[in-house]
């Protein structure tokens, strides 16, 4: 492993902590599916209260998220399935590389997101206005550049039909 910590064993439980602007916005338990030292995959039920309707997809109680976090990449990819197992699509968060340790995965949200529908007919860049308003480009130009590059990479892979290679 590149950061000197041991890979986590499949089946163990940890807490996923999503941080934005220096504050934890959501924390939830998840079960480790796999950890190869760079990518850790966890599974968790929809953790927020109630339904979140984005217009192009609804996240709701019963949905199951299989989430892929990388220790060396500036994004996380979350496969979303209904409680019945029907694939809804993939929600991609642009984040700083995940920090894993002390029973937690910490992912710092950098506002940019990408949605890829189950059949890949819809590839949507999201929250670019929030990213521009965040001031990250002024505070941390390197992180802002990495974030934009990550979103561009995810979108390109989705449009070229190579997105699935990230999570196979």
């Amino acid at each position: 492993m590149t950061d000197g910590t041991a890979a986590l064993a499949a089946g163990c439980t940890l807490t996923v902590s999503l941080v934005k602007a220096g504050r934890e916005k959501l924390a939830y338990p998840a079960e480790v599916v796999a950890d190869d030292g760079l990518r850790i995959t966890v599974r968790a039920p929809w953790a927020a209260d109630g339904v979140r309707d984005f217009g192009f997809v609804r996240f709701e109680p019963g949905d199951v998220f299989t989430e892929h976090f990388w220790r060396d990449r500036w994004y996380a990819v979350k496969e979303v399935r209904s409680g019945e197992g029907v694939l809804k699509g993939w929600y991609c968060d642009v984040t700083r590389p995940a920090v894993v340790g002390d029973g937690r995965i910490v992912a710092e949200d950098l506002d940019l997101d990408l949605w890829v529908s189950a059949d890949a007919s819809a590839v949507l860049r999201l929250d670019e206005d929030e990213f521009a308003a965040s001031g990250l480009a002024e505070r941390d130009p390197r992180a802002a550049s990495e974030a934009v590059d990550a979103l561009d990479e995810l979108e390109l892979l989705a449009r070229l039909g190579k997105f699935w290679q990230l999570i196979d």
Side-chain angles (χ1 to χ4, degrees):
M1 166 162 290
T2 59
D3 65 2
T5 60
L8 300 173
C12 72
T13 301
L14 50 65
T15 299
V16 175
S17 174
L18 304 179
V19 175
K20 188 169 184 174
R23 294 180 326 164
E24 185 174 78
K25 68 178 190 176
L26 185 63
Y28 51 91
E31 181 180 328
V32 174
V33 174
D35 183 357
D36 68 7
L38 290 177
R39 182 181 78 184
I40 181 170
T41 302
V42 301
R43 188 167 293 124
W46 168 239
D49 293 327
V51 173
R52 180 123 187 239
D53 191 340
F54 291 93
F56 50 86
V57 67
R58 287 171 48 102
F59 297 161
E60 51 202 339
D63 285 352
V64 177
F65 286 64
T66 301
E67 305 177 349
H68 307 273
F69 297 91
W70 283 265
R71 293 171 175 93
D72 65 343
R73 296 185 189 181
W74 288 71
Y75 51 77
V77 175
K78 301 171 181 186
E79 178 186 278
V80 185
R81 292 185 178 270
S82 71
E84 295 77 35
V86 176
L87 179 63
K88 293 183 176 187
W90 295 268
Y91 196 91
C92 307
D93 285 319
V94 174
T95 66
R96 291 183 189 270
V99 177
V100 181
D102 297 325
R104 298 179 81 75
I105 297 174
V106 179
E108 183 182 346
D109 186 351
L110 299 178
D111 292 311
L112 295 172
D113 302 299
L114 186 79
W115 171 254
V116 180
S117 63
D119 64 359
S121 64
V123 178
L124 307 173
R125 292 172 74 105
L126 307 170
D127 302 328
E128 290 178 297
D129 54 339
E130 287 180 35
F131 177 75
S134 74
L136 184 65
E138 293 78 30
R139 284 191 326 277
D140 189 343
R142 179 183 170 269
S145 177
E146 293 281 1
V148 171
D149 289 349
L151 183 64
D152 290 345
E153 176 186 344
L154 290 166
E155 180 183 21
L156 180 62
L157 289 171
R159 294 197 185 281
L160 292 176
K162 296 182 178 185
F163 182 77
W164 334 115
Q165 295 172 359
L166 288 172
I167 52 179
D168 279 344

